[in-house]
Amino acid sequence: MAMNSQGRQTRAANEMNAEVSTHTGNKALQIEEPLIFERGAEGGSGVDLPEPEGIMPRLGGQQAESAPELPGLSEPEAMRHYVRLSQKNYAIDMGIFPLGSCTMKHNPRLNEKTARMPGFSDIHPLQPESTVQGALELMDRLAGWLKELTAMPAVAMSPKAGAHGELCGMMAIKAALVARGEAGTRTRVLVPESAHGTNPATAAQCGFKVDKLPAADDGRVDLQAFKSKLGPDVAGIMVTNPNTCGLFERDIREMADAVHEAGGYFYCDGANFNAIMGKTRPGELGIDAMHINLHKTFSTPHGGGGPGSGPTVLSEALAPFAPVPFVVSDEDGFRLVETAAGEGEQAFGRMVAFHGQMGMFVRALTYMLSHGKDGLRQAAEDAVLNANYVQKRLSAEMTPAFPGTCMHEALFSDAFLKDTGVGTIDFAKAMIDEGFHPMTMYFPLVVSGAMLIEPTETESKFGLDQFCDSLLALAKEAKSGNTERFEAAPVYAPKRRLDETQAARKPVLRWQPEMAEAMAAE
Amino acid sequence: MRYLPLSDADRAEMRRTVGVETIDELFSDVPKDALNPVLDLPDHKGELEVERIMRGLSAKNHAASDGPFFAGCGAYKHHVPATVDHIIQRSEFLTAYTPYQPEIAQGTLQYLFEFQTQVAELTGMEVANASMYDGSTAAAEAALMARRITKRKKVLCSGGLHPHYAQVIHTNSELIDDEVIEAPSSPDGQGSIMEMIDDQTSCIVVQSPDVFGHVRDLSALAEKAHEHGALLIAVVTEAVSFGLLKSPGSQGADIVVAEGQSIGNALNYGGPYVGLFAARQKHVRHMPGRLCGETVDAEGKRGFVLTLSTREQHIRRDKATSNICTNSGLCSLAFTVHMSLLGGTGLRRLAMLNHEAACKAADALSQVEGVEVLNESFFNEFTLRLPKDAAEVTEALAQRGIVAGVPGGRLWPGEDDLANLLIVAATEVTTDDDIAALKSALEEVL
């Protein structure tokens, strides 16, 4: 009772009116922040640059009459603006980010430190090779780790994201078919219904026809249906393993043998490699190509949606068709093969202007050296154990999509919400009020109202228990008929539920001066 | 292992909860002979040890800041304010995912909206997306977008287009049997693809300033393209030039793609960078990549969401406009923070400083005997013709601690008539001493 003894007594929280509206619209640490265009001044600036000397321009008459009409902020204003914006984001550094098939794990800061070493961050992609031997050696070492972890003989390093890696793998398959003289006849690619949307999109971008593979009742590819679809027009299959239901395709070798026998290739989507790194090697399972998301498995950060990096490992059959550039070494050191001639004669082409995501390579190699082979295997085991722990605990109130254990992600259907009036999206939005980022929702498409939870290995048991306790309480609440909080959720987030339909119907994709006038008029 | 929170006691208890005795019971679907392979890799290391290894590798490289530096051709050395790197390392930006839950991702979404507005203004276009992997992949996607709009299959690349960009376009377009025609390189800035445009042309891809540094007038090309129902795709590899040159949009471009690295981003040996992609409003539903749009929340307050996702792969699957499902998030944030610090007037001044540095470099180097400057116009980059192979010259200068530029042989291997060309870039970081050092070193080796 010592507290507040001199002042006015604090009322109990439940007596407070939760609907206090402030004059600013702010809620303490939650600040409504205008766009820079509404607050910055044209002519303002947060950089001090010297006065130009007034040399006569040689711009071929193409000089613009005036500067771009964009506001500038002083450094303190800019800092405050972007820090305030940052505080409206959820992030892995704040709590579990259980997005299935996204592998949101802790991002070690050592990786950020090494990526900023001047010998990596301050070198130019076209400076003489003799001046970047350390960079080429780093790429070569990272490639060595990736090849050893996958038991594959080659890796294309330049793809800039997972989907770009998929494109690389499928381009290599197309090039191999061209070399065999079968590109005109082998035009069909088999893709499971449960696949990431990028798989069919990639196949289509390569000019292939996509043929859907049904899932069996156990959440895996239906082996018989798959075999029946094979034929002389099949270019290959694209299968994720572990798949998007969080299950290992136990028939993977039989599938690989069958597609090879039919003259096609096996593309494996490596999005879920975190479950198996150090535990098993795709090269021993019969695959021909697989991309590795360095931003997932090897923790180069997601950065709010990129940059990613998607090196793609290739089998003996596809290795000759790898795109330029690639690193080779001899007694004189390392060098790049940058042209589709000579050593790169069979290369299917070039995917990017330069050599790939060097900044991500540095972070990934740092991560690998830190973990070592023992740490990587332990990480995969812990990731799988954490997912199974969550699956087991949540099964008390929620409905697992498939019986048995899972790999690194636990999949639930919305069956436990049946007749409650609460949908998967409401359940997810209520999680936001409880302080958690929702799981992946409505994916994979083969499960009704799917909820896909991937905790990763960097969650503690304490954290998982908090998470599970909260979800179990929410599930009970939904079943008890209290639907209001679900429909209203999120209540405590920086924004209430956003109208995505309006955004798509009348797209407003940039700020215009009229917007400011309209706001002022209101 | 410092990154793994579970203790052995936790693991044992959790296995009991799950109902397995050993961890490998959870891997029972993996073929037995492929489980737990012996790996020829080292065990884990402490932070100090790892840092030591990485510093060793870093030290084997010559950094741009280590001496006079003149390389460009699609990647440029600029000064980035310290604020930028601080902001992009904020946990809430660095360790967030794609903003699929907009209520708790307004930070990312609002800066993307600011980014799109800045890019649209700089390019002179109506709309811009939330960024692409880099300039070259943006160019390839632009060619595919033009095909969707015009339903034609012929792409014309100008001779001034960065050859790597042309190759990326080739690689992507030829997959679907489109024809990609490259005009011959024109180091003197005289060539034009004007006469090659016909009624089968889907788009023309023109870079300005071009790879040799010449500033091109796009208006006449735009007019000719439009007469034939084709689109003009303008490529810009040096985003700082937006501060000083007429925007591609004002000259009639239908799609503008650019490498945004120069604003806010380090050289990084070629990546990660940030591709800028802008177009006309009427073509917005044909655009690839993520788009951020404005909307309201349940209380009527303004907020931002990813929108028009019916174009995208996770909804449309094999009918999507592109397989792209990422942007260059953190690099676009760096761009936006740097651009917000510069403002339009700051960018213009920065661009003028770049141009003046290049003017001084061109004047100094043209005095070297046997060296010819090929450009009448340029922004911050120009082409020299040397009396001998430029790759040999750059190697000799590298031994003296000077990165002299990009030799023709690096970009056009095997093309002997381009081998003596040296493409030289100067920016605001280039000092008079740097230019003097390059000049005297060049005099020594020629």
Side-chain angles (χ1 to χ4, degrees), chain B residues 287-326:
Chain B
M287 280 176 87
R290 290 185 183 139
L291 286 164
C292 171
E294 188 189 284
T295 187
V296 293
D297 75 357
E299 289 175 346
K301 286 188 183 161
R302 176 172 72 183
F304 303 93
V305 293
L306 292 181
T307 192
L308 298 183
S309 57
T310 48
R311 301 164 299 122
E312 292 186 83
Q313 40 73 32
H314 62 278
I315 309 281
R316 292 277 280 165
R317 300 177 78 83
D318 54 322
K319 305 286 191 301
T321 56
S322 158
N323 80 336
I324 288 195
C325 74
T326 190

Side-chain angles (χ1 to χ4, degrees), chain B residues 114-444:
Chain B
E114 295 179 352
F115 171 83
Q116 289 176 182
T117 306
Q118 288 171 334
V119 173
E121 168 65 22
L122 292 174
T123 54
M125 302 298 282
E126 287 149 11
V127 287
N129 76 8
S131 78
M132 310 292 282
Y133 305 138
D134 72 354
S136 66
T137 54
E141 287 285 345
L144 296 176
M145 175 172 157
R147 169 194 223 261
R148 289 192 291 274
I149 293 168
T150 63
K151 312 266 194 303
R152 298 179 184 177
K153 294 165 69 78
K154 187 156 96 181
V155 179
L156 295 182
C157 295
S158 87
L161 180 63
H162 193 300
H164 292 176
Y165 280 52
Q167 288 164 27
V168 176
I169 292 171
H170 251 283
T171 300
N172 281 278
S173 289
E174 287 188 340
L175 272 180
I176 42 178
D177 300 324
D178 283 9
E179 190 183 4
V180 180
I181 299 171
E182 286 169 57
S185 305
S186 52
D188 57 1
Q190 297 308 310
S192 173
I193 55 171
M194 187 79 89
E195 301 313 314
M196 298 164 72
I197 303 171
D198 62 20
D199 289 346
Q200 278 78 53
T201 306
S202 162
C203 59
I204 59 172
V205 187
V206 185
Q207 180 177 331
S208 179
D210 71 14
V211 69
F212 302 102
H214 308 285
V215 182
R216 312 303 296 248
D217 182 353
L218 302 178
S219 309
L221 281 169
E223 206 171 302
K224 179 84 186 283
H226 295 158
E227 271 170 30
H228 288 275
L231 303 186
L232 172 67
I233 297 171
V235 176
V236 177
T237 61
E238 170 50 293
V240 171
S241 70
F242 287 129
L244 198 51
L245 298 178
K246 288 179 189 165
S247 70
S250 72
Q251 299 180 71
D254 299 284
I255 303 172
V256 182
V257 293
E259 175 52 68
Q261 172 266 331
S262 283
I263 298 178
N265 287 277
L267 285 169
N268 285 327
Y269 201 49
Y273 287 174
V274 49
L276 314 183
F277 196 110
R280 300 287 173 197
Q281 178 75 40
K282 64 181 174 186
H283 294 144
V284 67
R285 284 172 202 273
H286 291 286
M287 280 176 87
R290 290 185 183 139
L291 286 164
C292 171
E294 188 189 284
T295 187
V296 293
D297 75 357
E299 289 175 346
K301 286 188 183 161
R302 176 172 72 183
F304 303 93
V305 293
L306 292 181
T307 192
L308 298 183
S309 57
T310 48
R311 301 164 299 122
E312 292 186 83
Q313 40 73 32
H314 62 278
I315 309 281
R316 292 277 280 165
R317 300 177 78 83
D318 54 322
K319 305 286 191 301
T321 56
S322 158
N323 80 336
I324 288 195
C325 74
T326 190
N327 60 342
S328 209
L330 217 52
C331 303
S332 64
L333 175 62
F335 180 100
T336 285
V337 177
H338 193 183
M339 198 53 237
S340 300
L341 287 165
L342 285 166
T345 51
L347 182 67
R348 188 166 176 94
R349 178 175 283 204
L350 178 65
M352 287 172 88
L353 293 170
N354 273 256
H355 182 54
E356 292 193 344
C359 287
K360 288 195 229 177
D363 287 345
L365 299 174
S366 67
Q367 292 165 22
V368 178
E369 200 184 323
V371 171
E372 182 192 357
V373 177
L374 299 185
N375 299 61
E376 281 178 15
S377 71
F378 55 85
F379 170 61
N380 67 354
E381 190 165 29
F382 53 86
T383 300
L384 302 179
R385 181 173 283 127
L386 307 182
K388 60 201 267 195
D389 186 299
E392 286 171 29
V393 173
T394 48
E395 189 56 49
L397 293 184
Q399 300 308 318
R400 290 166 160 78
I402 297 172
V403 177
V406 178
R410 184 77 188 261
L411 293 180
W412 298 274
E415 292 196 35
D416 293 344
D417 52 332
L418 303 177
N420 288 8
L421 302 182
L422 180 66
I423 303 172
V424 177
T427 72
E428 78 283 1
V429 307
T430 310
T431 64
D432 291 348
D433 288 348
D434 292 338
I435 294 170
L438 174 60
K439 183 182 175 227
S440 68
L442 207 49
E443 281 165 343
E444 279 174 42

Side-chain angles (χ1 to χ4, degrees), chain A residues 38 46 53 82 89 93 119 122 127 130-131 137 220 279 305 338 374 377 382 429 495 499 515, chain B residues 11 24 29 36-37 44 60-62 64-65 91 103 108 294-295 302 327 340-341 356 360 395 410:
Chain A
E38 295 158 350
E53 293 173 29
Y82 289 105
N89 269 5
D93 281 351
D122 194 26
Q127 67 186 69
S130 61
T131 65
E137 184 179 341
R220 294 170 175 87
K279 291 297 287 180
E338 294 186 284
D374 54 332
R377 178 175 295 177
D382 286 359
K429 298 294 184 191
K495 282 283 182 289
D499 188 343
M515 287 164 70
Chain B
R11 291 180 183 117
D24 282 346
D29 287 333
N36 297 328
H44 71 273
K60 292 183 188 175
N61 303 315
H62 177 92
S65 303
S91 288
E103 297 86 358
T108 298
E294 188 189 284
T295 187
R302 176 172 72 183
N327 60 342
S340 300
L341 287 165
E356 292 193 344
K360 288 195 229 177
E395 189 56 49
R410 184 77 188 261

